[in-house]
Amino acid sequence: MNSPVRGAHASSVLVSAFCGDELPLHAVRSLRVPLRLMRSKKFARQNAFASTLRACALRIAQLAATRFIGRLQLHFSMTTTLAHQLANFACSLQFEDLSKNVVHEVKRRVIDSLGCALGAWNEEPCTIARNVVSDFSAKSGATVIGTSHKAPPDWAAFVNGCCIRYFDYNDTYLSKEPAHPSDNFAAVFAIGESVGATGKEIILAAAIAYEVQCRLCDAASIRARGWDHPTYGAFSTALACAKLMKLDPERTRHAVNIAGVNCAAFRQARVGELSHWKGVAFANAARHGVYAALLARAGMTGPAPIFEGQMGFEKQLGVSLGDVASVFDKRKEAIAGEGPASMILKTSIKFWPAEYHSQSAIEAALFLRKQIEDLSQVKSMVIESHDASVDIIGSEPEKWRPQQRETADHSLPYITAVALIDGEVTDKQFAPERFTEPKIVSFLQNVKVERNDELSALYADAVANIVHVTLADGRTLTKRVDYPLGNAKNRLKDSEVEGKFFNLAAPKITKTSADRVVELCWKLDEASDVSQLMKSLEMPH
């Protein structure tokens, strides 16, 4: 019987008839088997041939449909990635979209962050960074806080980020992944000054950075997989900088892609014997975010899809960000009535210069101290805390014998004990001569940290600690604090934010200059640029 389709190329003819030239070669070859069978004597009869032809046609139709749908899905996914959503979100937001409360809170965080930066200005890693950058200047640079020197924006972001973060005194956000979102200001001010951004543009960029970093922290914890929280900061700073540069959505997306391709930071920065890097890790993320945005502005492209790709962020870090893209929408509000970039209102300001999970323990210890007439009667201390606190600052042996400031201010037993003994927690409590003092070290051996399931269940809505102090007469004094002073649910007054700033800044730049900084910060939304604010931070000669 003569077949209507002859020769070795029969399958190719059928493929062209059904789906043009869209199927790959391996799919074409898979169709040749039934066609060869059709040419055999065994299948020469009419019914067999018709049956085989129908099967062949069905197979072709299935492959064609799969190919067509796959191409549609690929096109759809490549235009709806998280990077696309982030870029569109950032580019669509305007200052007028921000609520009055958000604008006011950004100003409070500027005051707080600049105070932290001035307070830590003389610390060793800050001085090291400043000395390194002092050899480099830039025509369109950014001011190194405390000086009149203008450095390339990415370098300025690193140096200023070191200062903002090093005292571990800037704000915090607790979720699946913890963060210190005011770290973003180092990048925001570096690019903002470089491009001559207005105060309103600075405020908007900061709100975007807070929104992005905190939303990513809500989406997935990366520390359990061995990655450090500044990893998310590369994305938030890149987006904030792209906004300040007025990049379009496509170049903003590439800023995100460039920032993401090598942003992963090791969690080793926060475990074991801590080093300077603990306090400057986000400064490096900010530097990277600034540089990524600068490259994107010049037209450089980055790999995509950076989050969802075969070897992208989620696959390589071993986490899933879920449906986080859906929240980056102007119609979505973190807090009802507060606009599309209101996550900053869910973050907390630190009242004491120590890791945030210790704040409620400090408050509890200071409360109990007032009830103890003779501190020599204190025999032991037990701190009940939640899992995150125990895992981060209350489990490693180094926490009971800190040798560096970086360990001391991340030691729940030391911080709580010194609060009880000294009646205060300031920079003085983190001087080496204090945390290595023999009596302190001896007392720490009588301090225990225990997990409390109830407190763990409340986290991160509450950041609770229960402190028990046992006295020589057998009595045990107990105090529980769920929302320490400065928490989003126990907010500092504006006057208290100013007070913290003056305590940190006035000894460095004089009270007169500190007053001027606060005045400029409260009027930031009226400023045509930030040059006067940066100048007011200069150290007296």
Side-chain angles (χ1 to χ4, degrees), residues 95-207:
F95 180 82
E96 291 70 25
D97 294 320
L98 304 180
S99 71
K100 291 181 179 179
N101 288 333
V102 167
V103 172
H104 186 74
E105 196 61 37
V106 171
K107 295 176 184 179
R108 282 161 49 95
R109 301 313 170 90
V110 171
I111 293 171
D112 188 61
S113 301
L114 294 178
C116 292
L118 292 170
W121 198 81
N122 289 323
E123 295 301 309
E124 187 176 15
C126 303
T127 302
I128 291 170
R130 200 160 49 248
N131 288 342
V132 170
V133 79
S134 65
D135 290 335
F136 305 93
S137 58
K139 178 177 61 177
S140 299
T143 301
V144 173
I145 286 177
T147 76
S148 59
H149 179 65
K150 289 193 175 184
D154 53 333
W155 274 102
F158 180 75
V159 178
N160 294 340
C162 290
C163 292
I164 290 171
R165 181 78 189 96
Y166 189 70
F167 263 1
D168 205 350
Y169 207 0
N170 61 323
D171 67 6
T172 195
Y173 180 68
L174 299 178
S175 185
K176 292 178 181 177
E177 186 66 31
H180 302 279
S182 59
D183 288 335
N184 287 282
F185 278 116
V188 169
F189 275 109
I191 286 296
E193 182 181 10
S194 174
V195 301
T198 67
K200 287 183 177 179
E201 290 169 339
I202 292 284
I203 291 170
L204 176 59

Side-chain angles (χ1 to χ4, degrees), residues 291-341:
Y291 191 53
L294 287 169
L295 291 174
R297 181 176 66 175
M300 186 169 288
T301 61
I306 196 61
F307 293 101
E308 307 89 346
Q310 181 182 358
M311 295 187 180
F313 184 92
E314 291 181 302
K315 293 287 180 61
Q316 298 303 97
L317 271 66
V319 299
S320 171
L321 295 174
D323 191 31
V324 68
S326 66
V327 302
F328 295 111
D329 185 325
K330 285 183 65 172
R331 297 166 296 181
K332 304 290 180 67
E333 296 181 332
I335 299 175
E338 295 293 354

Side-chain angles (χ1 to χ4, degrees), residues 23-259:
L23 288 183
L25 184 58
H26 68 83
V28 171
R29 286 172 177 164
S30 72
L31 299 174
R32 290 178 180 168
V33 175
L35 290 171
R36 290 192 186 112
L37 289 173
M38 284 192 296
R39 299 178 63 206
S40 69
K41 292 181 179 179
K42 186 176 180 180
F43 289 93
R45 291 187 298 274
Q46 179 70 33
N47 290 342
F49 174 76
S51 176
T52 304
L53 186 59
R54 284 194 298 271
C56 180
L58 178 60
R59 174 64 172 153
I60 294 171
Q62 289 172 336
L63 287 170
T66 300
R67 175 70 171 177
F68 179 68
I69 293 171
R71 287 169 64 87
L72 283 179
Q73 289 175 333
L74 179 63
H75 175 75
F76 180 75
S77 65
M78 290 299 290
T79 57
T80 58
T81 66
L82 177 53
H84 281 93
Q85 194 73 11
L86 286 168
N88 291 334
F89 175 74
C91 290
S92 69
L93 284 181
Q94 301 300 321
F95 180 82
E96 291 70 25
D97 294 320
L98 304 180
S99 71
K100 291 181 179 179
N101 288 333
V102 167
V103 172
H104 186 74
E105 196 61 37
V106 171
K107 295 176 184 179
R108 282 161 49 95
R109 301 313 170 90
V110 171
I111 293 171
D112 188 61
S113 301
L114 294 178
C116 292
L118 292 170
W121 198 81
N122 289 323
E123 295 301 309
E124 187 176 15
C126 303
T127 302
I128 291 170
R130 200 160 49 248
N131 288 342
V132 170
V133 79
S134 65
D135 290 335
F136 305 93
S137 58
K139 178 177 61 177
S140 299
T143 301
V144 173
I145 286 177
T147 76
S148 59
H149 179 65
K150 289 193 175 184
D154 53 333
W155 274 102
F158 180 75
V159 178
N160 294 340
C162 290
C163 292
I164 290 171
R165 181 78 189 96
Y166 189 70
F167 263 1
D168 205 350
Y169 207 0
N170 61 323
D171 67 6
T172 195
Y173 180 68
L174 299 178
S175 185
K176 292 178 181 177
E177 186 66 31
H180 302 279
S182 59
D183 288 335
N184 287 282
F185 278 116
V188 169
F189 275 109
I191 286 296
E193 182 181 10
S194 174
V195 301
T198 67
K200 287 183 177 179
E201 290 169 339
I202 292 284
I203 291 170
L204 176 59
I208 289 172
Y210 269 77
E211 193 75 13
V212 171
Q213 188 180 7
C214 294
R215 293 288 198 177
L216 291 175
C217 288
D218 285 349
S221 172
I222 56 176
R223 73 178 186 275
R225 306 287 300 183
W227 306 105
D228 202 12
H229 73 262
T231 297
Y232 285 143
F235 299 114
S236 57
T237 53
L239 283 159
C241 293
K243 182 65 176 180
L244 287 164
M245 293 176 180
K246 298 180 172 62
L247 301 190
D248 62 24
E250 183 64 5
R251 293 199 178 195
T252 298
R253 179 175 71 89
H254 282 297
V256 172
N257 293 341
I258 296 168

Side-chain angles (χ1 to χ4, degrees), residues 433-500:
E433 58 270 21
R434 188 60 183 131
F435 57 71
T436 59
E437 202 274 323
K439 290 184 179 180
I440 287 284
V441 175
S442 177
F443 181 74
L444 283 176
Q445 309 320 303
N446 297 314
V447 178
K448 294 182 179 180
V449 175
E450 298 178 351
R451 296 180 189 271
N452 183 301
D453 291 341
E454 179 192 354
L455 303 187
S456 296
L458 293 174
Y459 182 84
D461 179 64
V463 193
N465 279 290
I466 304 172
V467 177
H468 308 277
V469 176
T470 299
L471 305 178
D473 61 10
R475 288 184 300 143
T476 297
L477 306 178
T478 298
K479 178 63 176 177
R480 171 174 171 167
V481 176
D482 286 4
Y483 305 105
L485 190 60
N487 185 271
K489 295 188 175 182
N490 186 15
R491 308 179 77 82
L492 292 179
K493 300 175 183 177
D494 287 351
S495 59
E496 290 172 318
V497 174
E498 290 181 356
K500 176 182 172 181

